[in-house]
Amino acid sequence: MTQTLDASTAVRDRVENWLAGFEAALTAGDADGVAALFAATSFWRDLVAFTWNLTTVENRDGVADLVRATAEATGAHGFHLTEEPAEADGVTEAWIAFETAVGRGRGHLRLTDEGAWTLLTTLYELKGHEEPHGTQRPKGVEHGVRRGRLSWEEAREAENAAMGGSAQPYVVVVGGGQGGIALGARLRQLGVPHVVVDRHPRPGDQWRSRYKSLCLHDPVWYDHLPYLPFPANWPVFAPKDKIGDWLEMYTRVMEINYWSSTTCRSASYDADAHEWTVVLDRDGEEVVLHPKQLVLATGMSGKPNVPVIPGQDRFRGEQHHSSQHPGPDAYAGKRVVVIGSNNSAHDICAALWEQGVDVTMVQRSSTHIVRSDSLMDLGMGDLYSERAVANGITTQKADMIFASIPYRIMHEFQKPIYDKIRERDAEFYRRLEQAGFWLDFGDDESGLFMKYLRRGSGYYIDVGASELVANGDVKLVHGAVRELTEDAVVLEDGTSLPADLVVYATGYGSMNGWAADIISQEVADAVGKVWGLGSDTAKDPGPWEGEQRNMWKPTRQEGLWFHGGNLHQSRHYSLYLALQLKARCEGIPTPVHRLAETHHTA
């Protein structure tokens, strides 16, 4: 027992000594001294706290560069442990907290005999602008009597009526899906005047309007929105309409300034006034807003990719992109060709087969498949599951653990997981490949998460459709499409596939395509490609970026931001985007370190 206590004390002392040395060197502006505390191969990931950016620097040279550029202005101090550190396999892990001149932060440290291997530092609140919760929660009522006092409902109506007239929003968020709604909730809590606009009649319609079999493939523990988690009886995988209703409810109870039936027609930036002119069509009425900041929250993807194929004009059947697919009901007894073999293609094929449709999947390139049960257990179970909750892993802690792994080495953490999945589901994969399905596990065998982070495509989480492919219920063919005839899809090898409907499950472009439509092609090109890490793998061209391109951070266009991703990312990264916007709203200096270069325009 005494030896265990001595060991624990030694581990704690080692971490505290490192933190003391780190703080002393930061305070002295000793960049080389800070760098010496890191291992030769090391990573410091900072989310806003030091850099007013989302940045990862590598090795001692990168650490020294970050310190020289940021330490004096940041004024970081008060580094301390928030719980007992743990040691395993020669790596000590520690949860830490600290303050900066303008805010408070938390982070994570991995320490080896050589020094810090990974360091995560994040800002979570601004001093003097704390969110009103806990002891700071609003009273909600004004006791006493006063003439002319407005009720809560009257005050909300007055705020909405003034916005765009006597009052201007500081931020306009274009896109009112999960990303825009999560950011709107953050902005409301921080007191940032905002409007979230969306073209649909109701919040949540982005989900309601999709094909009826659509549901979340990620589990409930991964998908909570800020402030208001799903209830304990929420299903593990939520159906699309249930998610739509939750988003609508959430928008109201979180008091988000949400304008439905509103389309953004155009936006232009006045560099002298540091202000946008945003022209909206609000339910048939033109409204012009002048925000300082514009956020495109249109998802993690851009406009649908609809291939141009000879003969599309003469095809007599129906054809549409998967984003416009209404569901299978109208196609019973029909012949359908689905071009593509990723998530949407599989979901649509399965739903069509259930309605008695003769359905064929056209696979043009290999796809990563992972069974849902295996992914939930081996891939996500330690962080996002009932098992994780029982082990004390809250959603916030899970998010921070995931964020603490630098993208450069994340594949090394993922590969062993997918090795186990391949072993567990070997017979499943054998049957798929025997059926002719082109299967892959990513360029470096690292599986789904890395494909998602690098390119946002190329995978399917199997909830049943793969069985239909494996046993031939969904027919499978391969190759590029050469042309459409009046009643068929013809492949390059001459194979003719009779069709009454063609579904293009062909993915989406980069988010900067929306910037081109709303602002200008010049701005879209200046900002460049959105999403991807620069891993130099398929559909993620180099050079290495270290973070998601242009997401949740300053871009090459002043006052323009991108926000999106899955529910997990919308929840987690909306905090850092909201803090950046709040700081600018309050006039807090925000010197950006390492504004990303533009390497790819699309």
Side-chain angles (χ1 to χ4, degrees):
M1 184 64 162
T2 301
Q3 289 179 335
T4 301
L5 290 173
D6 288 345
S8 298
T9 300
V11 170
R12 183 182 182 91
D13 287 347
R14 183 161 172 264
V15 174
E16 289 183 333
N17 288 337
W18 189 94
L19 292 175
F22 181 67
E23 181 171 337
L26 282 176
T27 302
D30 181 3
D32 292 333
V34 174
L37 294 168
F38 283 72
T41 299
S42 52
F43 308 88
W44 180 355
R45 188 180 192 209
D46 180 67
L47 306 182
V48 182
F50 280 75
T51 60
W52 291 105
N53 201 350
L54 275 61
T55 300
T56 299
V57 296
E58 300 183 6
N59 307 329
R60 290 167 179 160
D61 288 347
V63 169
D65 177 61
L66 188 151
V67 171
R68 290 189 191 98
T70 68
E72 183 178 358
T74 301
H77 63 281
F79 287 86
H80 64 278
L81 287 164
T82 58
E83 59 182 76
E84 287 298 317
E87 187 172 34
D89 300 323
V91 179
T92 299
E93 295 197 43
W95 292 100
I96 63 174
F98 59 95
E99 294 189 17
T100 70
V102 301
R104 299 179 183 89
R106 54 173 70 102
H108 183 271
L109 171 69
R110 290 186 181 89
L111 199 59
T112 68
D113 289 340
E114 193 182 354
W117 176 33
T118 71
L119 175 66
L120 170 70
T121 50
T122 74
L123 190 72
Y124 72 88
E125 69 179 3
L126 295 166
K127 295 176 181 176
H129 304 286
E130 294 83 359
E131 293 185 0
H133 57 74
T135 59
Q136 303 300 314
R137 71 168 69 231
K139 183 175 279 188
V141 65
E142 180 185 348
H143 289 151
V145 292
R146 177 173 61 82
R147 285 179 176 158
R149 178 170 52 177
L150 297 178
S151 69
W152 172 85
E153 178 69 14
E154 290 168 334
R156 286 287 292 137
E157 289 176 354
E159 178 184 2
N160 281 320
M163 194 62 70
S166 60
Q168 285 291 326
Y170 183 76
V171 180
V172 167
V173 181
V174 178
Q178 61 209 32
I181 286 171
L183 180 59
R186 299 278 193 191
L187 295 174
R188 164 59 70 180
Q189 294 304 303
L190 287 169
V192 178
H194 69 280
V195 170
V196 178
V197 305
D198 192 88
R199 61 186 175 85
H200 292 91
R202 296 162 56 197
D205 278 351
Q206 305 85 351
W207 286 87
R208 296 187 191 96
S209 61
R210 298 295 303 278
Y211 52 91
K212 73 175 187 178
S213 63
L214 179 66
C215 67
L216 286 175
H217 288 178
D218 297 323
V220 61
W221 306 276
Y222 188 73
D223 292 330
H224 296 301
L225 290 174
Y227 311 112
L228 190 61
F230 294 115
N233 65 343
W234 194 261
V236 174
F237 303 107
K240 70 179 183 71
D241 296 290
K242 193 172 181 68
I243 285 290
D245 289 347
W246 181 265
L247 291 175
E248 185 170 25
M249 178 278 299
Y250 184 92
T251 301
R252 292 184 62 84
V253 301
M254 295 307 298
E255 301 180 21
I256 299 166
N257 290 337
Y258 191 100
W259 289 6
S260 56
S261 300
T262 302
T263 301
C264 183
R265 294 299 184 199
S266 66
S268 58
Y269 190 70
D270 185 330
D272 295 327
H274 304 285
E275 182 177 278
W276 290 92
T277 296
V278 179
V279 180
L280 305 172
D281 179 340
R282 189 180 186 191
D283 203 15
E285 177 185 354
E286 182 176 283
V287 178
V288 180
L289 300 178
H290 296 284
K292 298 294 185 181
Q293 312 290 337
L294 179 64
V295 180
L296 299 186
T298 50
M300 57 165 277
S301 305
K303 296 180 293 183
N305 283 331
V306 179
V308 177
I309 300 171
Q312 285 174 312
D313 56 339
R314 68 174 183 266
F315 180 68
R316 292 182 303 196
E318 186 180 348
Q319 50 186 315
H320 53 238
H321 189 266
S322 59
S323 61
Q324 302 300 314
H325 184 62
D329 293 355
Y331 305 106
K334 302 286 188 180
R335 300 163 302 177
V336 178
V337 173
V338 177
I339 299 173
S341 57
N342 296 332
N343 260 335
S344 293
H346 278 84
D347 281 349
I348 290 170
C349 284
L352 289 166
W353 178 86
E354 288 182 337
Q355 293 297 315
V357 176
D358 179 350
V359 59
T360 300
M361 177 188 291
V362 179
Q363 187 176 30
R364 301 169 301 160
S365 59
S366 64
T367 300
H368 172 58
I369 305 290
V370 59
R371 296 178 73 179
S372 177
D373 289 349
S374 297
L375 178 64
M376 297 308 107
D377 181 17
L378 299 175
M380 305 182 77
D382 288 342
L383 294 182
Y384 300 99
S385 69
E386 211 61 49
R387 179 177 87 223
V389 173
N391 289 332
I393 305 297
T394 63
T395 300
Q396 178 189 314
K397 193 167 191 177
D399 289 350
M400 290 288 283
I401 292 170
F402 196 76
S404 75
I405 304 172
Y407 289 130
R408 176 75 85 175
I409 58 174
M410 187 174 282
H411 66 285
E412 297 175 13
F413 288 73
Q414 293 293 308
K415 286 167 73 173
I417 295 171
Y418 286 90
D419 287 344
K420 292 179 182 177
I421 289 174
R422 285 175 101 158
E423 182 178 354
R424 172 186 283 191
D425 296 328
E427 175 61 18
F428 166 74
Y429 291 123
R430 186 195 66 78
R431 291 181 60 245
L432 260 182
E433 291 186 308
Q434 190 175 47
F437 194 85
W438 293 342
L439 186 69
D440 73 59
F441 276 76
D443 287 31
D444 53 9
E445 308 296 304
S446 58
L448 183 143
F449 278 120
M450 296 314 301
K451 268 205 164 188
Y452 172 74
L453 293 167
R454 290 164 173 168
R455 56 183 280 190
S457 65
Y459 52 82
Y460 168 58
I461 301 173
D462 178 41
V463 292
S466 289
E467 188 65 30
L468 298 177
V469 174
N471 64 23
D473 287 327
V474 168
K475 289 177 282 189
L476 178 69
V477 298
H478 299 95
V481 177
R482 186 178 73 197
E483 64 176 332
L484 268 61
T485 66
E486 291 182 342
D487 58 4
V489 175
V490 182
L491 304 185
E492 288 285 4
D493 65 2
T495 301
S496 182
L497 307 171
D500 302 299
L501 166 68
V502 178
V503 179
Y504 300 109
T506 46
Y508 300 82
S510 172
M511 281 180 72
N512 66 334
W514 295 117
D517 283 359
I518 293 170
I519 308 167
S520 69
Q521 189 64 53
E522 181 182 15
V523 166
D525 289 346
V527 169
K529 182 180 174 68
V530 181
W531 203 262
L533 304 173
S535 63
D536 208 23
T537 57
K539 297 190 178 182
D540 184 28
W544 179 250
E545 304 271 348
E547 294 286 338
Q548 289 287 355
R549 291 186 187 93
N550 288 312
M551 291 297 293
W552 316 296
K553 60 184 179 178
T555 69
R556 285 281 163 179
Q557 169 59 56
E558 182 181 4
L560 178 64
W561 311 76
F562 293 88
H563 173 61
N566 57 30
L567 281 156
H568 153 79
Q569 291 169 308
S570 293
R571 172 187 67 246
H572 182 63
Y573 289 102
S574 60
L575 170 62
Y576 307 115
L577 177 50
L579 287 171
Q580 293 173 84
L581 296 170
K582 175 65 173 179
R584 286 163 172 78
C585 183
E586 298 297 336
I588 297 171
T590 56
V592 176
H593 178 57
R594 290 183 65 180
L595 185 65
E597 298 291 334
T598 302
H599 299 292
H600 310 281
T601 58

